[in-house]
Amino acid sequence: MMLTVFAVGGLPEFVAGDDLIQMIGDAVDGVLKDGDILAITSKIVSKAEGRQVLAADREEAITSETVRVVASREYPGGVTRIVENHLGMVLAAAGVDSSNVPEGIVLLLPVDPDASARALCAALRERLGLRIGIVITDTLGRPWRQGQTDVAIGAAGIRVLDDLRGSNDAGGRRLDVTAPAVADEIAAAADLVKGKALGLPVAVVRGLRHLVAELDAPGARSIVRTGPDDMFRLGTKEAHAEGFEAGRASAH
Protein backbone atom coordinates (compact mmCIF):
# COMPACT_ATOMS: atom_id res chain seq x y z
CA MET A 1 0.00 0.00 0.00
CA MET A 2 1.25 3.49 -0.84
CA LEU A 3 0.21 6.63 1.05
CA THR A 4 0.52 10.03 -0.64
CA VAL A 5 -0.05 13.34 1.14
CA PHE A 6 0.16 16.74 -0.56
CA ALA A 7 -1.07 20.27 0.07
CA VAL A 8 -3.61 22.02 -2.15
CA GLY A 9 -2.48 25.33 -3.61
CA GLY A 10 -4.46 28.25 -5.03
CA LEU A 11 -6.58 28.99 -1.95
CA PRO A 12 -7.00 32.60 -0.77
CA GLU A 13 -7.13 34.03 2.73
CA PHE A 14 -10.59 33.16 4.04
CA VAL A 15 -13.01 35.64 5.62
CA ALA A 16 -16.45 35.46 7.19
CA GLY A 17 -19.14 34.47 4.74
CA ASP A 18 -16.85 32.76 2.23
CA ASP A 19 -18.34 29.79 0.38
CA LEU A 20 -16.00 26.98 1.42
CA ILE A 21 -17.71 24.49 -0.85
CA GLN A 22 -17.19 26.67 -3.91
CA MET A 23 -13.66 27.77 -3.05
CA ILE A 24 -12.31 24.37 -2.03
CA GLY A 25 -14.20 22.72 -4.86
CA ASP A 26 -12.54 25.03 -7.40
CA ALA A 27 -9.11 24.30 -5.91
CA VAL A 28 -9.44 20.51 -5.96
CA ASP A 29 -11.43 20.09 -9.18
CA GLY A 30 -9.33 17.87 -11.44
CA VAL A 31 -6.94 17.11 -8.56
CA LEU A 32 -8.93 14.67 -6.43
CA LYS A 33 -9.37 11.00 -7.19
CA ASP A 34 -12.01 8.59 -5.98
CA GLY A 35 -11.17 7.43 -2.46
CA ASP A 36 -9.15 10.54 -1.53
CA ILE A 37 -9.55 12.22 1.87
CA LEU A 38 -9.38 16.00 2.28
CA ALA A 39 -7.86 17.29 5.52
CA ILE A 40 -9.06 20.86 6.16
CA THR A 41 -7.68 23.14 8.86
CA SER A 42 -10.46 24.16 11.26
CA LYS A 43 -9.25 27.75 11.13
CA ILE A 44 -10.65 28.34 7.64
CA VAL A 45 -13.95 26.73 8.64
CA SER A 46 -14.14 29.04 11.67
CA LYS A 47 -13.32 32.07 9.52
CA ALA A 48 -15.94 31.24 6.91
CA GLU A 49 -18.53 30.61 9.64
CA GLY A 50 -17.77 33.94 11.31
CA ARG A 51 -16.47 32.41 14.54
CA GLN A 52 -14.33 35.42 15.48
CA VAL A 53 -14.38 37.83 18.41
CA LEU A 54 -12.34 40.83 19.50
CA ALA A 55 -9.09 39.90 21.21
CA ALA A 56 -9.96 42.22 24.08
CA ASP A 57 -12.54 39.59 25.01
CA ARG A 58 -10.19 36.60 24.71
CA GLU A 59 -10.50 35.47 28.32
CA GLU A 60 -14.25 35.97 28.16
CA ALA A 61 -14.32 33.98 24.92
CA ILE A 62 -12.42 31.14 26.59
CA THR A 63 -14.87 31.19 29.49
CA SER A 64 -17.86 31.14 27.13
CA GLU A 65 -16.46 28.10 25.33
CA THR A 66 -15.65 26.26 28.58
CA VAL A 67 -17.79 23.52 30.08
CA ARG A 68 -15.40 22.90 32.98
CA VAL A 69 -11.87 23.82 34.00
CA VAL A 70 -9.63 20.75 34.25
CA ALA A 71 -6.45 22.53 35.33
CA SER A 72 -4.94 26.01 35.39
CA ARG A 73 -1.47 27.39 35.97
CA GLU A 74 -0.26 30.94 36.47
CA TYR A 75 2.86 32.21 34.73
CA PRO A 76 4.37 35.72 34.41
CA GLY A 77 2.28 36.60 31.35
CA GLY A 78 -1.05 35.33 32.62
CA VAL A 79 -2.88 32.05 33.24
CA THR A 80 -3.07 28.91 31.11
CA ARG A 81 -6.37 27.09 31.41
CA ILE A 82 -6.84 23.48 30.34
CA VAL A 83 -10.59 23.06 29.89
CA GLU A 84 -13.28 20.86 28.45
CA ASN A 85 -15.10 22.77 25.73
CA HIS A 86 -18.59 22.38 24.29
CA LEU A 87 -17.32 19.75 21.84
CA GLY A 88 -16.20 17.53 24.73
CA MET A 89 -12.53 18.14 23.90
CA VAL A 90 -10.01 18.79 26.68
CA LEU A 91 -7.46 21.34 25.49
CA ALA A 92 -5.74 24.62 26.27
CA ALA A 93 -7.82 27.81 26.13
CA ALA A 94 -10.90 25.95 24.83
CA GLY A 95 -9.39 26.07 21.33
CA VAL A 96 -9.54 29.88 21.17
CA ASP A 97 -6.78 30.86 18.72
CA SER A 98 -5.02 34.11 17.85
CA SER A 99 -2.57 32.85 15.19
CA ASN A 100 -2.97 33.67 11.49
CA VAL A 101 -5.76 36.18 12.12
CA PRO A 102 -5.75 40.01 11.99
CA GLU A 103 -4.45 41.88 15.01
CA GLY A 104 -7.14 42.25 17.64
CA ILE A 105 -9.14 39.16 16.58
CA VAL A 106 -9.32 35.64 17.98
CA LEU A 107 -11.04 32.61 16.48
CA LEU A 108 -13.32 30.10 18.15
CA LEU A 109 -13.64 26.53 16.97
CA PRO A 110 -16.58 25.71 14.68
CA VAL A 111 -19.85 25.18 16.54
CA ASP A 112 -20.31 21.67 15.08
CA PRO A 113 -17.26 20.48 13.11
CA ASP A 114 -18.90 17.16 12.21
CA ALA A 115 -21.87 18.99 10.67
CA SER A 116 -19.51 21.29 8.77
CA ALA A 117 -17.60 18.25 7.49
CA ARG A 118 -20.82 16.51 6.39
CA ALA A 119 -22.00 19.57 4.45
CA LEU A 120 -18.63 19.88 2.71
CA CYS A 121 -18.38 16.18 1.98
CA ALA A 122 -21.90 15.88 0.57
CA ALA A 123 -21.53 18.95 -1.66
CA LEU A 124 -18.07 18.02 -2.96
CA ARG A 125 -19.11 14.43 -3.65
CA GLU A 126 -22.03 15.74 -5.71
CA ARG A 127 -19.96 18.35 -7.56
CA LEU A 128 -16.97 16.14 -8.32
CA GLY A 129 -18.74 12.81 -8.75
CA LEU A 130 -16.21 11.20 -6.43
CA ARG A 131 -16.54 9.22 -3.20
CA ILE A 132 -14.25 11.20 -0.90
CA GLY A 133 -13.89 11.79 2.83
CA ILE A 134 -13.40 14.96 4.87
CA VAL A 135 -11.42 15.51 8.08
CA ILE A 136 -11.45 18.90 9.83
CA THR A 137 -8.28 19.29 11.87
CA ASP A 138 -7.01 21.30 14.80
CA THR A 139 -3.82 21.34 16.85
CA LEU A 140 -3.76 19.89 20.38
CA GLY A 141 -1.18 19.29 23.05
CA ARG A 142 -1.09 15.89 24.74
CA PRO A 143 -0.81 15.12 28.45
CA TRP A 144 2.54 13.60 29.34
CA ARG A 145 3.98 14.50 25.90
CA GLN A 146 5.88 17.59 24.75
CA GLY A 147 4.76 19.45 21.65
CA GLN A 148 1.53 19.38 19.72
CA THR A 149 -0.04 17.41 16.88
CA ASP A 150 -3.06 17.83 14.65
CA VAL A 151 -6.13 15.72 15.37
CA ALA A 152 -9.57 15.33 13.82
CA ILE A 153 -12.24 17.52 15.40
CA GLY A 154 -14.71 16.95 12.57
CA ALA A 155 -15.13 14.14 10.05
CA ALA A 156 -17.53 12.90 7.40
CA GLY A 157 -17.47 10.11 4.87
CA ILE A 158 -14.70 8.16 6.61
CA ARG A 159 -14.30 5.60 9.35
CA VAL A 160 -12.75 7.55 12.22
CA LEU A 161 -11.68 4.32 13.95
CA ASP A 162 -10.21 1.30 12.21
CA ASP A 163 -11.73 -1.23 14.59
CA LEU A 164 -9.57 -4.36 14.53
CA ARG A 165 -11.11 -5.96 17.61
CA GLY A 166 -11.96 -9.60 17.01
CA SER A 167 -9.39 -10.02 14.25
CA ASN A 168 -5.99 -11.70 14.60
CA ASP A 169 -2.49 -10.24 14.50
CA ALA A 170 0.33 -11.59 12.30
CA GLY A 171 1.03 -14.27 14.92
CA GLY A 172 -2.57 -15.44 15.04
CA ARG A 173 -3.34 -13.84 18.41
CA ARG A 174 -6.78 -12.29 18.85
CA LEU A 175 -6.92 -8.49 19.05
CA ASP A 176 -9.27 -7.38 21.81
CA VAL A 177 -8.63 -3.63 22.18
CA THR A 178 -6.87 -2.48 18.99
CA ALA A 179 -8.80 0.32 17.25
CA PRO A 180 -6.44 2.89 15.71
CA ALA A 181 -7.82 6.44 15.64
CA VAL A 182 -7.18 6.75 11.92
CA ALA A 183 -8.93 10.14 11.64
CA ASP A 184 -6.32 11.58 14.03
CA GLU A 185 -3.52 9.86 12.13
CA ILE A 186 -4.80 11.37 8.87
CA ALA A 187 -4.91 14.82 10.49
CA ALA A 188 -1.34 14.49 11.75
CA ALA A 189 -0.04 13.27 8.39
CA ALA A 190 -1.73 16.16 6.60
CA ASP A 191 -0.19 18.70 8.96
CA LEU A 192 3.28 17.65 7.78
CA VAL A 193 2.54 19.23 4.40
CA LYS A 194 0.17 22.02 5.46
CA GLY A 195 2.43 23.50 8.14
CA LYS A 196 1.54 26.43 10.40
CA ALA A 197 3.06 29.29 8.40
CA LEU A 198 2.80 28.11 4.79
CA GLY A 199 -0.69 29.36 4.00
CA LEU A 200 -1.77 25.87 2.91
CA PRO A 201 -4.90 24.98 4.92
CA VAL A 202 -6.04 21.97 2.87
CA ALA A 203 -4.26 18.71 2.08
CA VAL A 204 -5.10 15.57 0.13
CA VAL A 205 -4.46 12.17 1.70
CA ARG A 206 -4.44 9.44 -0.95
CA GLY A 207 -4.17 5.69 -0.54
CA LEU A 208 -6.74 5.07 2.21
CA ARG A 209 -9.74 4.21 0.07
CA HIS A 210 -10.65 1.43 2.50
CA LEU A 211 -11.43 4.04 5.17
CA VAL A 212 -13.87 6.04 3.02
CA ALA A 213 -17.43 5.40 4.20
CA GLU A 214 -21.00 6.64 3.93
CA LEU A 215 -21.95 10.17 4.96
CA ASP A 216 -23.81 8.91 8.01
CA ALA A 217 -20.73 7.19 9.50
CA PRO A 218 -19.92 8.40 13.04
CA GLY A 219 -17.99 11.67 13.09
CA ALA A 220 -15.02 12.84 15.12
CA ARG A 221 -17.19 13.54 18.16
CA SER A 222 -17.58 9.78 18.54
CA ILE A 223 -13.89 9.33 19.41
CA VAL A 224 -13.89 11.87 22.24
CA ARG A 225 -13.52 9.89 25.46
CA THR A 226 -15.95 11.17 28.08
CA GLY A 227 -17.95 10.03 31.09
CA PRO A 228 -17.12 6.77 32.85
CA ASP A 229 -14.65 5.78 30.09
CA ASP A 230 -12.46 8.77 30.98
CA MET A 231 -10.08 7.51 33.67
CA PHE A 232 -8.57 11.00 34.04
CA ARG A 233 -11.74 13.05 34.01
CA LEU A 234 -10.96 14.98 37.19
CA GLY A 235 -8.80 18.08 37.15
CA THR A 236 -6.46 18.77 40.06
CA LYS A 237 -8.93 20.99 41.92
CA GLU A 238 -11.80 18.59 41.26
CA ALA A 239 -9.77 15.61 42.47
CA HIS A 240 -8.77 17.48 45.63
CA ALA A 241 -12.35 18.55 46.34
CA GLU A 242 -13.72 15.06 45.71
CA GLY A 243 -11.06 13.47 47.91
CA PHE A 244 -11.67 16.04 50.65
CA GLU A 245 -15.43 15.36 50.62
CA ALA A 246 -14.83 11.61 50.63
CA GLY A 247 -12.54 11.99 53.62
CA ARG A 248 -15.08 14.07 55.50
CA ALA A 249 -17.82 11.54 54.76
CA SER A 250 -15.73 8.61 55.99
CA ALA A 251 -14.90 10.47 59.22
CA HIS A 252 -18.56 10.60 60.25
Side-chain angles (χ1 to χ4, degrees):
M1 184 176 75
M2 177 178 291
L3 180 67
T4 305
V5 185
F6 58 93
V8 175
L11 288 166
E13 183 65 32
F14 290 84
V15 297
D18 276 346
D19 187 341
L20 282 182
I21 294 169
Q22 180 69 42
M23 297 168 79
I24 294 176
D26 289 346
V28 301
D29 200 353
V31 175
L32 288 189
K33 296 182 179 181
D34 200 74
D36 283 351
I37 298 170
L38 275 180
I40 301 171
T41 303
S42 65
K43 192 180 301 294
I44 68 171
V45 180
S46 292
K47 287 180 177 179
E49 294 180 354
R51 294 281 288 161
Q52 53 194 29
V53 297
L54 295 175
D57 298 325
R58 182 174 187 272
E59 292 304 316
E60 183 179 336
I62 294 171
T63 299
S64 69
E65 293 290 292
T66 296
V67 173
R68 66 186 181 98
V69 177
V70 175
S72 62
R73 178 169 294 178
E74 295 184 11
Y75 63 99
V79 178
T80 295
R81 284 186 277 172
I82 307 299
V83 307
E84 179 186 341
N85 69 4
H86 66 92
L87 299 172
M89 299 164 54
V90 175
L91 71 175
V96 175
D97 192 0
S98 58
S99 63
N100 295 313
V101 293
E103 190 70 28
I105 298 293
V106 296
L107 280 179
L108 313 181
L109 292 178
V111 173
D112 188 342
D114 281 333
S116 300
R118 281 193 300 273
L120 281 165
C121 194
L124 290 175
R125 283 185 175 193
E126 182 176 0
R127 170 177 171 170
L128 302 172
L130 300 172
R131 193 167 184 263
I132 63 168
I134 297 285
V135 174
I136 295 177
T137 72
D138 198 60
T139 305
L140 268 68
R142 291 81 42 78
W144 307 296
R145 305 285 287 183
Q146 296 287 351
Q148 301 83 34
T149 186
D150 266 28
V151 302
I153 67 167
I158 70 165
R159 288 190 284 126
V160 293
L161 289 177
D162 191 12
D163 195 344
L164 302 177
R165 291 172 294 184
S167 63
N168 295 326
D169 66 11
R173 291 178 292 273
R174 177 184 169 87
L175 300 174
D176 292 322
V177 297
T178 304
V182 288
D184 286 345
E185 293 176 328
I186 290 166
D191 189 51
L192 294 174
V193 298
K194 288 189 297 169
K196 303 301 180 198
L198 301 178
L200 298 169
V202 178
V204 177
V205 180
R206 180 170 293 161
L208 299 175
R209 176 192 295 269
H210 64 288
L211 296 178
V212 177
E214 300 305 317
L215 285 174
D216 60 357
R221 185 70 181 257
S222 68
I223 57 176
V224 176
R225 192 190 298 273
T226 59
D229 289 337
D230 183 1
M231 295 176 66
F232 308 100
R233 65 182 182 82
L234 296 179
T236 50
K237 291 183 179 180
E238 294 169 315
H240 180 272
E242 190 171 289
F244 181 77
E245 289 302 320
R248 286 182 56 184
S250 64
H252 294 298

